[in-house]
Amino acid sequence: MDVILHLGAHRTASTSFQHYMRANIARLERRGVGFWGPLSARDEILTGHISRGTRESREEQIAEAQAQIVAHLDQIYERGIMHLVVSDENVIGTPYENLHDRQLYGAIGERMARYSQIFGGRISRLVLSIRSQDIYWSSVAALCVKRGQPAICSAAVAALANARRQWRDVITDLACAVPEIEIQVQPYEVFGGMPEQRLMAMTGVTGLPVTHAREKLNRAPSLSELRKILKERGEDPGVLPAGEGRWYPFNRDQIMALREAYADDLFWLRAGADGLATLIDETASAKAGRHPPVDDATRGQADGKENRRLA
């Protein structure tokens, strides 16, 4: 049985993908595809996997969680599940941690090494979605305001625009932590609005349902929504720029620098990623000469030009 760990990242339509999987669980299981979402992964299946206390107690926790995992995997295999997708983007960190640290998933290696251990060598594939850094950070900044954090300051904006750590570094750390596991990278600009295509690329299973495949969850709040949130909290909405639509905290030069960093990441991936990961930058529909459904897959972009250039 393939055990496929979908790591997110955040702000790459992970919540919409998880909704699609839950909404189609019966149909997917008939195709031999099972699903553990964040609730199962955090609260039921993996209870106790977060290490605390002494070294001995941590080892006991890991052993207990590993036994629990193996038992669950054996049970679902007996039900005819050939591909299990485990999706939990918080495995690799959180948006707030990234914004606070001014970098992309700085602890991903340590986190993934511990997480993979409790699967007892059963993980077949890791799937990471990436997104152009200017849109990723804009979306994270808006989400953090929605969740009670102050609007990002100009110094933080400049630090993000000049950050040295990019997706290439995230992928390298991930590969170093679990060198024996295949890593698949799916750009948001290709797969963000098509969860069934994302799942097909993960598993190789065809004939997947499209029911609930175009439902969008957990979008970043717009500027008007953010101003309303700040006002209701008694904070000054004037810290945000005027206008409507997406909040871009970066200026034009900063946006171009972040987009160039993403282009460099994609170039490295297309060149083979030093053998560490495989880039999947075309859907099955495109390979077959069919156009994927025209949908809001480019949501969050300033216009359509960026997707055509980067995807």
Side-chain angles (χ1 to χ4, degrees), residues 1-287:
M1 179 178 66
D2 279 338
V3 178
I4 301 160
L5 184 53
H6 173 236
L7 302 173
H10 301 88
R11 317 316 298 158
T12 60
S14 296
T15 303
S16 298
F17 174 74
Q18 292 156 3
H19 169 71
Y20 165 81
M21 296 294 290
R22 284 191 294 267
N24 289 288
I25 190 66
R27 297 181 183 92
L28 293 174
E29 288 191 352
R30 287 195 291 270
R31 303 288 297 161
V33 178
F35 177 63
W36 290 349
L39 291 179
S40 296
R42 297 173 197 169
D43 299 334
E44 299 173 20
I45 307 302
L46 303 183
T47 299
H49 85 276
I50 299 176
S51 300
R52 296 186 179 91
T54 65
R55 177 179 178 180
E56 291 75 15
S57 66
R58 290 196 300 270
E59 291 176 351
E60 290 176 0
Q61 287 178 11
I62 291 173
E64 180 181 351
Q66 189 179 92
Q68 191 176 12
I69 286 283
V70 170
H72 279 285
L73 293 178
D74 290 342
Q75 288 172 9
I76 67 169
Y77 179 70
E78 291 174 0
R79 298 196 339 251
I81 300 299
M82 302 304 297
H83 309 275
L84 175 66
V85 176
V86 182
S87 180
D88 185 356
E89 59 272 35
N90 281 358
V91 167
I92 58 176
T94 69
Y96 175 73
E97 289 170 345
N98 287 350
L99 199 59
H100 178 270
D101 296 341
R102 312 289 191 257
Q103 65 174 351
L104 293 165
Y105 302 103
I108 189 172
E110 178 184 352
R111 284 173 170 267
M112 196 61 239
R114 183 173 67 241
Y115 201 90
S116 65
Q117 185 179 359
I118 64 174
F119 272 85
R122 298 286 191 99
I123 297 175
S124 311
R125 186 173 305 111
L126 302 177
V127 179
L128 179 71
S129 295
I130 61 175
R131 187 176 190 178
S132 184
Q133 283 88 319
D134 62 310
I135 307 298
Y136 172 84
W137 285 119
S138 296
S139 186
V140 166
L143 178 70
C144 286
V145 170
K146 180 180 178 179
R147 294 182 176 177
Q149 301 299 319
I152 186 172
C153 65
S154 59
V157 169
L160 294 176
N162 295 312
R164 298 181 62 183
R165 182 175 176 83
Q166 306 298 343
W167 291 117
R168 173 175 179 169
D169 304 292
V170 172
I171 294 164
T172 299
D173 286 353
L174 185 60
C176 290
V178 284
E180 73 284 359
I181 302 177
E182 173 192 348
I183 299 174
Q184 184 183 101
V185 180
Q186 299 180 350
Y188 167 88
E189 293 81 5
V190 177
F191 291 96
M194 294 179 286
E196 81 287 359
Q197 295 286 333
R198 175 176 284 183
L199 181 60
M200 193 182 306
M202 288 182 188
T203 63
V205 177
T206 60
L208 296 171
V210 295
T211 307
H212 302 286
R214 303 297 173 257
E215 298 175 13
K216 309 299 185 297
L217 281 69
N218 200 28
R219 293 174 185 251
S222 66
L223 272 169
S224 59
E225 291 169 331
L226 289 171
R227 283 192 288 266
K228 182 179 179 181
I229 290 170
L230 290 175
K231 185 175 181 180
E232 289 175 348
R233 293 206 309 240
E235 300 177 30
D236 180 16
V239 298
L240 299 175
E244 303 299 325
R246 176 176 291 278
W247 174 33
Y248 288 91
F250 303 103
N251 63 37
R252 185 174 187 82
D253 289 342
Q254 291 168 335
I255 289 173
M256 295 308 297
L258 289 166
R259 290 181 181 179
E260 182 178 355
Y262 189 51
D264 289 343
D265 288 331
L266 291 177
F267 180 84
W268 174 73
L269 283 161
R270 290 187 180 116
D274 298 328
L276 302 178
T278 300
L279 176 68
I280 310 298
D281 61 353
E282 191 176 23
T283 65
S285 294
K287 289 180 181 178

